[in-house]
Amino acid sequence: MRARIAVNGYGTIGKRVADAVARQPDLELVGVAKTRPSFEAQTAQARGIPIFVADGANVDPFRSAGIPVAGRTSDLLNAADLVVDCAPEKIGKENAVKYKEAGKPAIFQGGEKAEVAEVSFNALANFDAARGRQRVRVVSCNTTGLARAASVLRSAYGVEEWEATMVRRAGDPAETDRGPIDGILPTFPIPSHHGADVRSIFPDLTIATAAVVVPTTLMHVHVNRVRLARPPATVAEVLDRFRATPRFHIFRAWEHVDGTPQVMEYGRDRSPSGRPDVMENVLWEQGIRLEGRDLHFFQAIHQESIVVPENIDAIRAMLGLAPDAATSIARTDEALGIPRPAK
Amino acid sequence: MRARIAVNGYGTIGKRVADAVARQPDLELVGVAKTRPSFEAQTAQARGIPIFVADGANVDPFRSAGIPVAGRTSDLLNAADLVVDCAPEKIGKENAVKYKEAGKPAIFQGGEKAEVAEVSFNALANFDAARGRQRVRVVSCNTTGLARAASVLRSAYGVEEWEATMVRRAGDPAETDRGPIDGILPTFPIPSHHGADVRSIFPDLTIATAAVVVPTTLMHVHVNRVRLARPPATVAEVLDRFRATPRFHIFRAWEHVDGTPQVMEYGRDRSPSGRPDVMENVLWEQGIRLEGRDLHFFQAIHQESIVVPENIDAIRAMLGLAPDAATSIARTDEALGIPRPAK
Amino acid sequence: MRARIAVNGYGTIGKRVADAVARQPDLELVGVAKTRPSFEAQTAQARGIPIFVADGANVDPFRSAGIPVAGRTSDLLNAADLVVDCAPEKIGKENAVKYKEAGKPAIFQGGEKAEVAEVSFNALANFDAARGRQRVRVVSCNTTGLARAASVLRSAYGVEEWEATMVRRAGDPAETDRGPIDGILPTFPIPSHHGADVRSIFPDLTIATAAVVVPTTLMHVHVNRVRLARPPATVAEVLDRFRATPRFHIFRAWEHVDGTPQVMEYGRDRSPSGRPDVMENVLWEQGIRLEGRDLHFFQAIHQESIVVPENIDAIRAMLGLAPDAATSIARTDEALGIPRPAK
Amino acid sequence: MRARIAVNGYGTIGKRVADAVARQPDLELVGVAKTRPSFEAQTAQARGIPIFVADGANVDPFRSAGIPVAGRTSDLLNAADLVVDCAPEKIGKENAVKYKEAGKPAIFQGGEKAEVAEVSFNALANFDAARGRQRVRVVSCNTTGLARAASVLRSAYGVEEWEATMVRRAGDPAETDRGPIDGILPTFPIPSHHGADVRSIFPDLTIATAAVVVPTTLMHVHVNRVRLARPPATVAEVLDRFRATPRFHIFRAWEHVDGTPQVMEYGRDRSPSGRPDVMENVLWEQGIRLEGRDLHFFQAIHQESIVVPENIDAIRAMLGLAPDAATSIARTDEALGIPRPAK
């Protein structure tokens, strides 16, 4: 029998998590909760996803839009074994109370503070820490990207210190009210909060982060400088290690991928999950170099989708559906069409 | 036995036409021709599409990239019943000579001048004109959008004069070398050449067009004012007529779609052909109004994909694979996942 | 003795009107009113402009920022012969009550509804209508651009009907919270409200307008089609007429100005008023054409500055400081460094 | 008698250097050289700047455009005591031969390789190194920004290592053919060449730089992490030191300047040199922090103008027109309207 999963919120992350749940052999999507009808509700309906209406919200707009309503959020919670909270930033904290009252384990997103949950989660980094927990927080897109890379580099080479500049997209593609149109906005303060968030996964990591916001909607780019304790002989060795790890994609020079627009074009061509998403950390073989003990590399992070497989793995860890991280990750990635790592 | 189709060129249009051909029950994709390896070649290979190398081009880069080469463009032509030319603008004219020498019927894209072919084509407008032709030109994305709308309005209400301003996207999403970043570029001269191109389909249409280029990659938007000879009583009647026509999508006000970013978000959610494309003319019910005899309306045009179903229909018309336009369009759209029009 | 002018509001328009007032030989800038300190307040102070604080606002932030406060808005009104309201959109209506209580004539901006004033104003179109009025509204940037062009074309050739598509900038350069970043937003409904606003100046003009918003900060572009009652023999004649009219700038083909970025570059090079503004309607000689009775032309409108000289002329009309429009316009333009029209 | 200066090239840098030369009390602008007429030529003419035509270029287009031609580039060189080369990137190297043949000292811009000149120059860092030289290269905008900051931090606190990420504007405002429109382009390789360029000024500095290109036209932003040898007690001390140095501007938190669009708005309001330029390194008091020995700070760099005052100082150093850097800088900045540093 498959575990029954509810998704509360149906925005950028929620709709992707719902799709991803529906594709897993061991999970069943009970339904999604929304507050108002929209074209996303229309598409959800066309896919046969039951739509529940938020407890306080008005049902009439759904009715007049011809969208069948399966019940209220409280009904959705009752029917589920676990809920994935995909509400807008900071609302998850309020929702946590309801989940507790309903006695349902819950996953929160990285827009919430770490305190919302018992543990902050990344599949590669600390899968086992989420076993049997009632409240788990999947860290944000930027933190997920850093945590994956840190998992690889820490275990293989040791990390003495890490500097990362996050060049952040100003809004998602459909967020038409986000700017700037022409300009760069430093994120105050410097260093930024992202370093502390990575330490919610790796408490002893020495990391300093800084961020700027730029007028793009596609992806974030991280510029990293990592001082390694035991550097390898060549950068090729590092690349091989990334290639052998799930959820890393390394472009080769001959592929002529000059930046995030072409990374997303690759995503559109490939459409692994039926969506044009790129759920891997994306690196370039010409965008990584070892100078002494310092490893310099770029990585691109698709803010809309990178946390999606992590949410699936968190479900399995919490509900005990997989014996270990490797098994869960492999099952998730196969269902989502994310290519297997090189042997 | 399915008709064997070659696709020469594998850029924005070529890769979509190749995918679309592969999805048709009565067509077979023989292969595609490219001049150099790239991530697109990689994806084509992963999908099992045979890759041919342009006659003059160097095969070595493909070999060192590990991409199997099925032959040369001349081999591809020999193996095909028909070739769809998707070469960069203005190259099609040179290619036409080769196709003639190989004795193969050929379809050209709207970047070529009308003189490259015997007839300029749009499925709704003049399907039968392409029957049995050796050289057919599928008109450009903007002209396709106008020709579809003109087909509907001319037959139902008569068109006395048409004014269209095309607000054009400056480049496709992956064209990282296209600007402007911040600014509007009028297209000189005014009126623009698009009106003449529409008359390659409807020679007697009185139409004046003007164009500006703006910093977006997603879609064009047309602002239309059409003076009708026999206007209907209400704009609702016009909307119903568009809804009953294939390849029109009308957003309703409650769907909260405020512009092209959300139209493409809808395309990403829906992914009709495995790609996040929107092959329909897109209208808004709150973006159309009738004032006296003048019909004012916006329509959005997805420049990357709108001509794809038209290419498929052109193949059928030329090779005699469908009895009429309606049959071909229905078959194409079902294979591509474009929703059927309302009854 | 110079007329004493107050400027209430010190944003995009307010700071330019204040500068423009200060440059006029017959006007004196009494001061400006602001609600909070900012870098603009800093610059105003550096230029010696007295800063007054809005009646309800907190004075402390100004003090701790080291910005001397000359008084309250009510003090500013008392000291002035006329106030130019440059408050954010829709606030002018509330301010109108205060101005009336203070017994001071007031000018409002085009963000307010026409009802806020006795007359809507454009210097070329209806200077005399503002004579001796207590409340005058300078129409918005787009309407000003259309009204200037309509003044020329109506009197010279007669206008039967006018279609204008406004391709609008999404935000001003410093409005970092305005989007979209990548996309086009149709403005609903169609036709747009701009036509009605032009009729606040020319009540009998047959004009239909439509608007889209695009990701740029620099200028609007209008795409016009005007059916003339008595068309001239050549378009050159129309160009000469525009050149002979104040506040029109026509670029020649050899100047290689391909769009709004280079128009603003011209403004930066020239800096007529000490600011990189372009207060004229901007046309291109290759961007205008006469087809039968239809005149097609582009014009670019600098949304930040085009209404500035109009505000100055409105002051003169209301206070009786100039015998006629031509005298006021010439005086304004000379003070602002706007080139004189060709003879 | 004033030193006679020629400016060869009249693009983004050339026109600003020409204006800046014309404002200096001890320099005379002999003229500028251009290859074709444009709106910039028009503006130059309006300001009374003699225009010379490049030796190989066609004079006719200037004549038909009505722009008087004062001679050829060779005439310009003959009439000058020194030439500032502002030709497009990589052309300066070819021009160097002509300057040598004409026996004239020359200044080159940072787009040229260091080898083009005897010394790479920054006024704060190494004014005296340019004394009496025949060929001096003013380093690029990014290197100038880093060199200024390094001058301050090295002398006051010692620098052990420096990491800088340059978030680069993709094109200047009027470069309408530059992209990307929506995306981030990593600059390969990593680390970038900028570090080596800074070492053309400070050969012993340990610095690693990386760069990404983003869709903006206004300014670059540098994200810096500097490990100090002898860190001060507080970051306030560092800020005071920057404030006391010429060509630094530090925004305070209450000024509400959230990024480069508002920095440039400040430039437009202030228009120090008649242009809306910001020739200073721009920092934010909320955008700098000291963590142990690591100083983290953002700085914004106006790519169009930051090297302009450096060119003026280089002229004085080469021709012996000022006794020391401080005298030349003060004279330059007063003439250009750059505010004096705090005492």
Side-chain angles (χ1 to χ4, degrees), chain C residues 121-136:
Chain C
F121 178 85
N122 174 264
L124 273 180
N126 66 349
F127 183 89
D128 291 329
R131 285 194 180 284
R133 299 285 190 177
Q134 287 295 303
R135 287 168 290 118
V136 168

Side-chain angles (χ1 to χ4, degrees), chain A residues 31-42:
Chain A
V32 301
K34 275 187 70 58
T35 52
R36 65 166 202 174
S38 65
F39 70 91
E40 278 106 341
Q42 180 97 313

Side-chain angles (χ1 to χ4, degrees), chain C residues 184-214:
Chain C
I184 303 172
L185 309 185
T187 302
F188 304 123
I190 180 173
S192 72
H193 70 91
H194 301 90
D197 206 41
V198 177
R199 282 191 295 271
S200 74
I201 302 280
F202 296 115
D204 61 337
L205 185 67
T206 300
I207 180 165
T209 57
V212 299
V213 170
V214 302

Side-chain angles (χ1 to χ4, degrees), chain D:
Chain D
M1 198 185 122
R2 295 182 296 166
R4 293 163 305 171
I5 309 299
V7 175
N8 189 18
Y10 198 69
T12 298
I13 301 299
K15 65 189 177 187
R16 284 175 171 82
V17 169
D19 280 1
V21 165
R23 286 169 176 265
Q24 305 303 315
D26 50 355
L27 305 180
E28 177 191 344
L29 178 65
V30 183
V32 300
K34 275 188 71 56
T35 53
R36 65 167 203 175
S38 65
F39 69 90
E40 279 106 340
Q42 180 95 313
T43 313
Q45 179 197 359
R47 294 190 178 187
I49 301 177
I51 297 173
F52 295 75
V53 176
D55 281 324
N58 191 352
V59 173
D60 293 344
F62 288 85
R63 296 221 168 104
S64 59
I67 295 178
V69 172
R72 292 291 192 169
T73 303
S74 47
D75 304 319
L76 176 62
L77 288 181
N78 285 338
D81 296 321
L82 180 150
V83 58
V84 183
D85 183 89
C86 297
E89 215 166 75
K90 314 297 178 208
I91 306 295
K93 191 183 167 184
E94 300 169 21
N95 290 343
V97 180
K98 296 180 202 165
Y99 304 150
K100 196 167 187 182
E101 286 171 5
K104 302 292 175 168
I107 291 174
F108 300 88
Q109 305 304 316
E112 307 301 319
K113 291 194 174 163
E115 292 74 38
V116 79
E118 299 156 275
V119 64
S120 287
F121 177 85
N122 175 264
L124 274 181
N126 67 350
F127 182 90
D128 291 330
R131 285 193 179 286
R133 300 285 191 176
Q134 287 294 304
R135 286 169 291 117
V136 167
R137 170 179 167 263
V138 172
V139 291
S140 73
C141 53
N142 280 312
T143 306
T144 295
L146 289 170
R148 286 183 187 165
S151 291
V152 174
L153 297 177
R154 276 165 61 96
S155 66
Y157 312 115
V159 169
E160 292 192 356
E161 57 181 35
W162 192 305
E163 308 281 335
T165 299
M166 348 284 286
V167 185
R168 293 167 55 204
R169 65 85 182 99
D172 289 336
E175 293 180 314
T176 54
D177 56 350
R178 301 288 284 269
I181 289 168
D182 185 355
I184 303 172
L185 308 185
T187 302
F188 304 123
I190 180 173
S192 72
H193 70 92
H194 301 90
D197 205 42
V198 176
R199 282 192 295 271
S200 74
I201 302 281
F202 296 115
D204 61 338
L205 185 67
T206 300
I207 181 166
T209 56
V212 298
V213 170
V214 301
T216 180
T217 66
L218 302 181
M219 302 185 92
H220 305 298
V221 169
H222 297 175
V223 185
N224 299 285
R225 199 268 312 173
V226 185
R227 188 152 292 166
L228 301 174
R230 306 173 300 275
T234 66
V235 76
E237 191 179 316
V238 185
L239 277 171
D240 284 344
R241 204 166 285 271
F242 280 129
R243 285 195 187 101
T245 307
R247 300 177 189 166
F248 281 85
H249 183 89
I250 291 96
F251 281 108
R252 290 157 203 251
W254 65 262
E255 292 182 276
H256 304 290
V257 171
D258 67 0
T260 59
Q262 298 196 345
V263 173
M264 291 311 299
E265 182 76 2
Y266 166 74
R268 295 203 294 167
D269 283 358
R270 182 181 65 159
S271 293
S273 66
R275 287 185 181 275
D277 289 339
V278 178
M279 304 186 210
E280 301 101 319
N281 282 28
V282 172
L283 283 79
W284 286 262
E285 66 180 14
Q286 70 272 45
I288 184 167
R289 199 148 82 187
L290 194 58
E291 301 236 314
R293 293 197 291 133
D294 286 355
L295 184 72
H296 300 262
F297 68 102
F298 296 109
Q299 67 177 1
I301 301 297
H302 184 217
Q303 78 278 357
E304 298 179 292
S305 73
I306 187 177
V307 300
V308 171
E310 311 294 333
N311 273 275
I312 301 299
D313 294 326
I315 293 170
R316 287 212 187 86
M318 291 170 75
L319 299 183
L321 301 177
D324 54 33
T327 305
S328 178
I329 289 172
R331 201 184 299 163
T332 301
D333 291 3
E334 175 157 11
L336 296 181
I338 303 174
R340 257 178 299 183
K343 294 281 168 61

Side-chain angles (χ1 to χ4, degrees), chain B residues 45-334:
Chain B
Q45 179 197 358
R47 295 190 177 188
I49 300 176
I51 297 172
F52 295 74
V53 175
D55 282 324
N58 191 351
V59 173
D60 293 344
F62 288 85
R63 296 222 168 104
S64 59
I67 295 178
V69 172
R72 293 291 191 167
T73 303
S74 47
D75 304 318
L76 177 61
L77 288 181
N78 285 338
D81 296 321
L82 180 151
V83 58
V84 183
D85 184 88
C86 297
E89 214 165 77
K90 313 296 177 210
I91 306 294
K93 191 183 168 184
E94 300 169 22
N95 290 343
V97 179
K98 297 179 201 165
Y99 305 149
K100 197 167 186 182
E101 285 171 7
K104 304 291 175 169
I107 291 173
F108 299 89
Q109 305 304 316
E112 307 302 318
K113 291 192 174 165
E115 292 74 37
V116 79
E118 298 156 275
V119 63
S120 287
F121 178 85
N122 175 264
L124 274 181
N126 66 349
F127 182 89
D128 292 328
R131 287 193 178 284
R133 299 286 191 177
Q134 288 294 304
R135 287 169 289 116
V136 168
R137 169 179 168 263
V138 171
V139 292
S140 73
C141 52
N142 280 313
T143 306
T144 295
L146 289 169
R148 286 183 187 165
S151 291
V152 174
L153 297 177
R154 276 164 61 95
S155 66
Y157 311 115
V159 169
E160 292 193 354
E161 57 181 35
W162 192 304
E163 308 282 337
T165 300
M166 349 284 287
V167 185
R168 293 168 55 204
R169 66 85 183 99
D172 290 336
E175 293 180 313
T176 53
D177 57 349
R178 302 286 285 268
I181 290 169
D182 185 355
I184 302 172
L185 310 185
T187 302
F188 304 123
I190 180 171
S192 71
H193 69 93
H194 301 90
D197 205 42
V198 176
R199 282 190 296 271
S200 74
I201 302 280
F202 295 116
D204 61 337
L205 185 68
T206 300
I207 180 166
T209 57
V212 298
V213 170
V214 301
T216 181
T217 67
L218 302 180
M219 302 185 91
H220 305 298
V221 169
H222 297 176
V223 185
N224 299 285
R225 198 268 312 175
V226 185
R227 187 152 292 166
L228 302 174
R230 305 174 300 277
T234 67
V235 77
E237 190 179 317
V238 184
L239 277 171
D240 284 344
R241 203 167 283 274
F242 280 129
R243 285 196 186 100
T245 307
R247 300 179 188 164
F248 281 85
H249 183 89
I250 291 96
F251 281 108
R252 289 158 204 250
W254 65 262
E255 293 182 276
H256 304 289
V257 171
D258 67 0
T260 61
Q262 298 197 344
V263 173
M264 291 311 299
E265 183 76 2
Y266 166 74
R268 296 204 294 165
D269 284 358
R270 181 181 67 157
S271 294
S273 67
R275 286 184 182 276
D277 289 339
V278 178
M279 304 185 210
E280 302 102 318
N281 282 27
V282 172
L283 283 79
W284 286 261
E285 65 179 15
Q286 70 272 44
I288 184 167
R289 200 148 80 186
L290 194 58
E291 303 236 313
R293 295 198 291 132
D294 285 355
L295 183 72
H296 300 264
F297 68 102
F298 297 110
Q299 67 178 1
I301 300 297
H302 183 217
Q303 77 278 356
E304 298 179 292
S305 72
I306 188 177
V307 300
V308 172
E310 311 295 333
N311 273 274
I312 301 299
D313 294 326
I315 293 171
R316 288 212 188 86
M318 292 169 75
L319 299 183
L321 301 177
D324 54 32
T327 305
S328 178
I329 288 173
R331 200 183 298 163
T332 300
D333 290 3
E334 175 159 9

Side-chain angles (χ1 to χ4, degrees), chain C residues 22 65 108 121 131 142 219 233 242 309:
Chain C
F108 300 89
F121 178 85
R131 285 194 180 284
N142 280 312
M219 301 184 93
F242 280 129

